[in-house]
Amino acid sequence: MIKKALPQTGNKNQALSFDGVDIREDHDNEMISLTDLWKAAGGDKNRAPAQWLKLPGTKAFIKALEKQIVKISHSLLKSRGRLGTFAHWQIALAYAKYLSPELHLHVNEVYMRYRTGDITLADEILEKASTENQEWLAQKALSTVHRNKLTGTLKKHGVHGPFNFAKCTNNTYRGLYNRTARQLKADKNLPAKVNLREHMDTDELITVGFTEMVTRKDIEKRDVQGNTPCANSCLKMAKKVSTML
């Protein structure tokens, strides 16, 4: 069974820091901690998130942003108790600008690099990470590579539509753990829309990545075609890998 991993708001994927303060991010929901930004800027009580959010200009900005981002399925602001206040990245950038020009420039540069897929950012993250987290990040990257390659193969071999791609993924998890992605998330008390792999440990990432690699090779070697045959291959190869665990 998959173990509970660090929450998304932990330091495993930490990329942002300023003046010695780590600024937590929730990549699943594209949110940044306003509380950490405030601490990084010196922690002036008069400029705390709660005070800034009351300003008429701030309220107007958030209202306009809500109208612009019509497809978002969650609130742009979230209070997480002792973890502090998290906000959509555009709100966080506006708050950083309010707090400090230097902080705004730093957060803007780092977060934009993340959103545009600047791979050199990964080296900077790895340099700051612990040995354990360096290993996790490396395996997460490899897992993503194997997943993308398998997805490409599935497309070439006649898999189409979100339902059928999800079926292939679920068959991989069923073969390995006898659980669907939804069930695995429930076991870990995770929201349904989060990326499950962000909450897997290193061994689990290796297992899933290896399974998707051998599944891809099986589909290509046997020239499997179609939604159901490809999904069956995912299940069959996952079961084979599970016997080695």
Side-chain angles (χ1 to χ4, degrees), residues 71-236:
K71 293 183 179 180
I72 198 164
S73 60
H74 56 81
S75 173
L76 298 180
L77 285 166
K78 288 187 178 181
S79 177
R80 299 187 175 179
R82 289 182 297 176
L83 289 176
T85 301
F86 283 73
H88 185 270
W89 66 271
Q90 292 192 53
I91 297 174
L93 289 182
Y95 184 48
K97 184 177 181 180
Y98 165 81
L99 289 171
S100 158
E102 294 80 11
L103 176 61
H104 176 241
L105 288 172
H106 175 74
V107 175
N108 184 72
E109 177 187 2
V110 174
Y111 203 72
M112 288 303 100
R113 288 172 64 193
Y114 158 71
R115 287 183 59 81
T116 57
D118 183 351
I119 61 174
T120 63
L121 186 59
D123 286 336
E124 296 178 20
I125 297 172
L126 284 171
E127 288 178 1
K128 297 177 181 178
S130 66
T131 301
E132 178 184 359
N133 285 344
Q134 285 178 342
E135 182 181 9
W136 185 92
L137 287 165
Q139 294 305 329
K140 177 61 171 62
L142 286 173
S143 175
T144 300
V145 169
H146 289 311
R147 173 60 185 169
N148 290 341
K149 285 186 175 182
L150 175 59
T151 299
T153 295
L154 292 173
K155 288 180 180 178
K156 291 179 181 178
H157 287 255
V159 175
H160 55 84
F163 173 81
N164 289 303
F165 280 99
K167 184 177 180 181
C168 289
T169 299
N170 276 325
N171 275 1
T172 296
Y173 293 144
R174 284 174 55 211
L176 289 173
Y177 306 112
N178 197 30
R179 309 287 281 170
T180 65
R182 182 178 293 273
Q183 290 170 327
L184 290 171
K185 290 175 185 179
D187 291 342
K188 295 166 65 63
N189 296 316
L190 298 172
K193 293 186 178 181
V194 303
N195 184 341
L196 177 61
R197 299 186 195 214
E198 294 286 351
H199 300 269
M200 290 181 174
D201 63 26
T202 303
D203 288 346
E204 292 152 359
L205 288 171
I206 292 172
T207 300
V208 173
F210 175 75
T211 302
E212 291 181 331
M213 180 187 70
V214 297
T215 299
R216 172 173 57 84
K217 291 182 177 295
D218 176 65
I219 292 173
E220 292 173 344
K221 182 178 181 179
R222 297 192 297 114
D223 193 23
V224 179
Q225 296 288 337
N227 292 319
T228 299
C230 285
N232 290 340
S233 176
C234 291
L235 180 62
K236 181 184 72 173

